[in-house]
């Protein structure tokens, strides 16, 4: 479903994907099955969205950003693709950013360019990500710091592999 108030120039949007009002989708964007792109989003030409992605309101995905399957992007996340932005910069370098399968980025987070966020990682709301994030880890703050792990069953663990009840978990529960 493409809302009639969306400016969707891309002709290859799967029927199972929803594009809501006031979105702008450039013609060469690649968008997978069963995605939900909420209102007031922009997706440029060199963006790839896998299947089952959710992009909440107010997110701009610039050229060079790739989201693998099952990625969740919270409202008003900010992505960048130029480490040293200047107006009319003839030496501009686009740095690719990759968000791996199953990762979640909390609302209002900022992701610097040229980074990879590993599979099933979780970024807390309002965090500023300045470096690559390993898979199955939890990061929070400005700059984002590792605060724990995420298990196969989506249980958050602290750095000592203990859940909120204090139970110790095995490392095999987070390596998947």
């Amino acid at each position: 479903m493409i809302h009639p108030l969306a400016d969707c120039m891309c002709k290859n949007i799967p029927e199972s994907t929803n594009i809501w009002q006031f979105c702008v989708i450039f013609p060469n964007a690649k968008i997978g099955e069963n995605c939900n792109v909420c209102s007031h989003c922009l997706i440029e030409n060199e963006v790839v969205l896998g299947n089952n992605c959710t992009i909440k309101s107010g997110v701009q995905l610039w050229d060079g950003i790739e989201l693998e399957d099952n990625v969740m992007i919270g409202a008003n996340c900010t992505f960048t693709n130029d480490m040293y932005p200047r107006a009319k910069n003839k030496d501009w370098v686009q740095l690719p950013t990759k968000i791996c399968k199953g990762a979640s980025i909390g609302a209002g987070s900022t992701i610097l360019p040229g980074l990879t966020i590993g599979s099933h990682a979780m970024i807390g709301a309002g965090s500023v990500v300045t470096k690559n994030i390993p898979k199955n880890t939890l990061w929070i703050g400005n700059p984002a710091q590792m605060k724990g792990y995420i298990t196969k069953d989506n249980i958050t663990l602290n750095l000592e592999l203990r859940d909120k009840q204090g139970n110790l978990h095995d490392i095999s529960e987070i390596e998947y």
Side-chain angles (χ1 to χ4, degrees), residues 67-71 99-104 117-121 176:
L67 279 54
E68 292 185 342
D69 294 346
N70 302 304
V71 167
I99 313 301
C100 297
K101 67 180 179 178
S104 294
I117 295 178
S119 62
H120 305 286
Y176 59 104

Side-chain angles (χ1 to χ4, degrees), residues 85-98:
R86 292 283 190 205
K88 310 292 185 194
N89 182 0
K90 63 179 170 41
D91 298 321
W92 179 74
V93 175
Q94 177 180 301
L95 297 173
T97 299
K98 184 174 187 176

Side-chain angles (χ1 to χ4, degrees), residues 101-134:
K101 67 180 179 178
S104 294
I105 301 176
S109 294
T110 299
I111 312 300
L112 292 186
L115 301 179
T116 298
I117 295 178
S119 62
H120 305 286
M122 183 171 289
I123 309 300
S127 296
V128 177
V129 178
T130 61
K131 57 186 163 186
N132 292 326
I133 303 298

Side-chain angles (χ1 to χ4, degrees), residues 31-66:
I31 298 178
E33 297 281 344
N34 200 37
C35 292
N36 190 34
V37 180
C38 296
S39 67
H40 296 90
C41 289
L42 179 135
I43 300 176
E44 285 193 318
N45 277 313
E46 296 173 34
V47 171
V48 176
L49 265 62
N51 298 321
N52 305 308
C53 291
T54 297
I55 314 299
K56 298 306 274 184
S57 298
V59 174
Q60 295 82 39
L61 297 176
W62 310 112
D63 286 340
I65 295 174
E66 177 184 356

Side-chain angles (χ1 to χ4, degrees), residues 2 6-14 17 19 23-32 43-49:
I2 299 173
D7 182 6
C8 187
M9 297 169 270
C10 182
K11 302 301 180 202
N12 298 317
I13 305 291
T17 288
I19 308 293
C23 289
V24 177
I25 313 291
F26 283 41
N28 296 322
K30 293 178 179 61
I31 298 178
I43 300 176
E44 285 193 318
N45 277 313
E46 296 173 34
V47 171
V48 176
L49 265 62

